[in-house]
Amino acid sequence: MEFFKEISKIKYEGEKSNNLLSFRHYNPEEIILGKPMKEHLRFAMSYWHTLTGGGNDPFGDATLIREWDSLEPMEKVKMRVKAGFEFMEKLGIEYFCFHDKDIAPEGNSLSEYFKNLNEIVDLIEAEMKRTGIKLLWGTSNMFSNPRFVHGAGTSCNADVFAWAGAQVKNALDITKRLNGEGYVFWGGREGYDTLLNTDMKLELDNLGRLLQLAVEYAEKIGFTGQFYIEPKPKEPTKNQYDFDVATVMNFLKTYNLEDKFKMNIEANHATLAGHTFQHELRMARINNMFGSVDANRGDLLLGWDTDQFPTEIYDATLAMYEVLMAGGFTTGGLNFDAKVRRASMDNIDLFHAYIGGMDTFAKGLKVAAKLIEDRVFEDFIEKRYESYRSGIGKKIVEKKVTLEELSEYALGLKEIKNSSGRQEMLENILNNYIY
Ligand code: XUL
Ligand code: CO
């Protein structure tokens, strides 16, 4: 059975094409810096936004009604699997990501949930075999069900912590079974709304304990995929404990987990934290914590996580610049944690959305590769800091000075001469490379 009958395989047709159902930049086999574009980008479909989400918002019900929505729960989720793999095949997307809850109904008990999950995982496994599509990462949804009202690992209720442990165990089993290359913790409701009722220390310690347990269990079952934490500063709680990359690094160090995790960085989460997407990627890169990316964008005028498809070349270019400078993706990839607007209710809108996102990042990759090849920023930056490669600067870097020596040196200076940071010139150069 074919779901997206009106759409055939999306092909690369180049920049001159007028066909809106083609790629203008994403040419999967084109070699960029010695490797095919598709290996640089490792695009993934987010199961939840693409197949499960209905466009509900606080003011209205689902508007994105799909063919499977009228079916009984288990039939519905099976049809979603088929549709999802057809969708990925048509777009040439080779990876997907999912939460346990995206793929199967929870039923009336935990054991029924696990049974449902197993049945669907059988089907997913068969589709993976048929198509060669792989699992980028799995995760567990520990935020939607009302039992997680106070959090999962950070809940004040130990029974909820235990339930979360059971879900993580099962999701790790599934991820291993499907050869997932990674496992993500996004701390859904791991945060607080008011400190008036919150034991912050216990909550953070417990969150650390849950992650330690996950790492121990992964070792026990031989799951060798990469663990990630996905920082986010707010929403749904006022303060999410995984605020941003810097906060998460500190958290990981406190609980001796820094060698076990990398970051899954989401564009819209970065901006909610008051950072640019590039800042978060840079912070992860320079600390050897870069892992994977959730590609999307927010809306400057809206202060919440709108999860829109990324269409801004500027941001995508600077993001791909960081990815390339980090040495590229290894286990990670570019997951479109993005959804069509609730008024974009046709199946074809899903294709336009992904084509736009994939083309934006493909173009960003090409520009970033050229910038790096030409050492546009590297040469400028190297020159800008040259005072640290000789004389007093070299001594500072090599930790060979005392404050007394610095004082003696400074007292001997006649004047301090600074040179321009040339921001406007560099911004112009960046534009010249993009356009
Ligand atoms: C929520 C979010 C999640 C994670 C996975 O803002 O980004 O979808 O990516 O749980
Ligand atoms: Co995300």
Side-chain angles (χ1 to χ4, degrees), residues 48 99 137 186 230 232 266 269 294 305 337:
W48 54 103
H99 306 78
W137 49 258
W186 166 58
E230 182 176 324
K232 182 173 183 180
E266 178 161 326
H269 295 180
D294 270 9
D305 195 11
D337 193 353

Side-chain angles (χ1 to χ4, degrees), residues 318-369:
L318 294 175
M320 287 316 297
Y321 173 80
E322 297 300 328
V323 172
L324 291 174
M325 292 298 281
F329 291 116
T330 49
T331 50
L334 235 148
N335 169 47
F336 287 104
D337 193 353
K339 57 190 176 198
V340 292
R341 300 303 86 192
R342 73 191 287 275
S344 304
M345 62 277 275
D346 295 341
N347 286 342
I348 200 169
D349 292 312
L350 283 172
F351 284 87
H352 287 305
Y354 272 84
I355 290 169
M358 292 163 78
D359 256 353
T360 301
F361 271 86
K363 170 79 181 171
L365 166 68
K366 288 191 283 190
V367 178

Side-chain angles (χ1 to χ4, degrees), residues 241-401:
Y241 290 129
D242 300 330
F243 196 92
D244 61 2
V245 171
T247 311
V248 170
M249 280 190 321
N250 181 57
F251 170 84
L252 291 172
K253 282 197 179 128
T254 305
Y255 297 100
N256 296 320
L257 289 162
E258 69 268 33
D259 298 335
K260 307 287 183 190
F261 282 80
K262 299 256 188 251
M263 302 288 162
N264 181 37
I265 295 171
E266 178 161 326
N268 203 170
H269 295 180
T271 47
L272 287 175
H275 303 308
T276 59
F277 187 17
Q278 188 189 14
H279 168 98
E280 287 293 79
L281 290 164
R282 175 74 61 94
M283 187 60 97
R285 161 160 86 87
I286 62 173
N287 285 290
N288 194 26
M289 293 300 281
F290 167 76
S292 202
V293 164
D294 270 9
N296 60 16
R297 72 181 156 102
D299 183 315
L300 260 187
L301 304 181
L302 301 175
W304 64 89
D305 195 11
T306 60
D307 283 341
Q308 286 168 244
F309 274 84
T311 52
E312 281 157 25
I313 304 283
Y314 206 90
D315 287 345
T317 300
L318 294 175
M320 287 316 297
Y321 173 80
E322 297 300 328
V323 172
L324 291 174
M325 292 298 281
F329 291 116
T330 49
T331 50
L334 235 148
N335 169 47
F336 287 104
D337 193 353
K339 57 190 176 198
V340 292
R341 300 303 86 192
R342 73 191 287 275
S344 304
M345 62 277 275
D346 295 341
N347 286 342
I348 200 169
D349 292 312
L350 283 172
F351 284 87
H352 287 305
Y354 272 84
I355 290 169
M358 292 163 78
D359 256 353
T360 301
F361 271 86
K363 170 79 181 171
L365 166 68
K366 288 191 283 190
V367 178
K370 194 91 190 52
L371 284 164
I372 290 171
E373 250 172 1
D374 295 351
R375 294 186 50 87
V376 172
F377 303 126
E378 290 65 52
D379 284 345
F380 187 86
I381 290 171
E382 211 172 283
K383 179 114 190 36
R384 187 161 182 243
Y385 294 88
E386 73 184 353
S387 67
Y388 286 94
R389 285 195 298 277
S390 62
I392 192 76
K394 189 162 190 265
K395 280 192 180 165
I396 293 170
V397 169
E398 291 172 354
K399 288 192 179 164
K400 285 188 179 144
V401 281

